[in-house]
Amino acid sequence: MTTARTVTLIGKPGCHLCDDARVVVQKVAAEAGAAVVEQDITQDEELYRRYWEQIPVVLVDGEQHTFWRVDAERLRRALAA
């Protein structure tokens, strides 16, 4: 039985790179049947401390996949693995 994958997008409101990443993440996750979770660094002190210089950050199943720009093909490969 295959477990559904989860893609987490960590960002903040008003971040244009986060908006760009969201489009790619939602499209690729939908193709792969993966769930998408968004987290806002302005609402979580630990996320802010950890990622404020890297947003947007994308995690695949809780492991950091990329930051700043999301490459659709690389994300597809990660979700297919």
Side-chain angles (χ1 to χ4, degrees):
M1 183 172 145
T2 304
T3 303
R5 310 296 300 269
T6 301
V7 180
T8 305
L9 175 61
I10 300 170
K12 69 177 186 176
C15 165
H16 73 280
L17 289 177
C18 300
D19 294 338
D20 294 347
R22 181 177 300 106
V23 170
V24 175
V25 165
Q26 289 177 339
K27 180 179 188 300
V28 173
E31 292 169 1
V36 176
V37 175
E38 290 196 40
Q39 293 184 297
D40 179 350
I41 66 166
T42 67
Q43 302 299 311
D44 185 309
E45 273 187 52
E46 178 58 31
L47 287 177
Y48 183 85
R49 277 194 302 274
R50 189 168 183 184
Y51 296 119
W52 73 274
E53 290 184 314
Q54 296 181 335
I55 63 166
V57 174
V58 175
L59 312 178
V60 173
D61 297 333
E63 296 293 322
Q64 187 166 341
H65 171 72
T66 195
F67 60 96
W68 292 337
R69 303 234 183 245
V70 182
D71 180 283
E73 282 306 312
R74 184 168 175 259
L75 183 55
R76 279 186 189 97
R77 287 191 304 271
L79 291 173

